Amino acid sequence: MGKVKQAIVDVQEEVMDIVMSRTHYNTNIERMETITLPEVQTILFKKYWHKNNNGFFLDEKVVSNAYNKAVYEKENEEEYDDDRYRDADIIIKED
């Protein structure tokens, strides 16, 4: 696996850990809520901003994609299929 691909996988794993481990109870709507993307970005920023080699942990697009994937897997209890959604993106853009 190339260095870039491995760096992106590292971000995905870190974001997945954060999303799976941090859920809070919203008393206004009386249900559990998943951590938000800005909260995940803040956690990653605080952890990696001072490191010279922070990889893609501060890259907004990579973190956003990793977050969406993690939330999908948490809410649907199934693995996210990159190919299925990449194909859907292509179809939507062609229309």
Side-chain angles (χ1 to χ4, degrees), residues 3 10 12 15 29 31 33 37 43 49 53 57-58 61-62 64 70 75 78 85 87 89-90 94:
K3 288 184 180 184
D10 292 344
Q12 290 173 342
V15 171
I29 56 176
R31 70 180 174 107
E33 287 190 336
L37 176 58
I43 291 167
W49 73 269
N53 185 16
F57 289 100
L58 303 181
K61 185 173 182 177
V62 172
S64 177
E75 291 178 354
E78 68 180 25
Y85 293 101
D87 293 343
D89 259 358
I90 292 168
E94 288 176 353

Side-chain angles (χ1 to χ4, degrees), residues 13-58:
E13 289 173 354
E14 179 90 15
V15 171
M16 181 69 75
D17 288 344
I18 293 168
V19 168
M20 293 302 186
S21 66
R22 290 190 166 90
T23 304
H24 61 277
Y25 187 76
N26 185 330
T27 54
N28 293 334
I29 56 176
E30 298 183 355
R31 70 180 174 107
M32 299 301 286
E33 287 190 336
T34 301
I35 188 171
T36 65
L37 176 58
E39 291 169 327
V40 170
Q41 290 172 314
T42 299
I43 291 167
L44 293 175
F45 178 78
K46 287 179 179 179
K47 187 172 181 179
Y48 292 101
W49 73 269
H50 65 285
K51 296 183 180 181
N52 289 333
N53 185 16
N54 57 30
F56 288 95
F57 289 100
L58 303 181

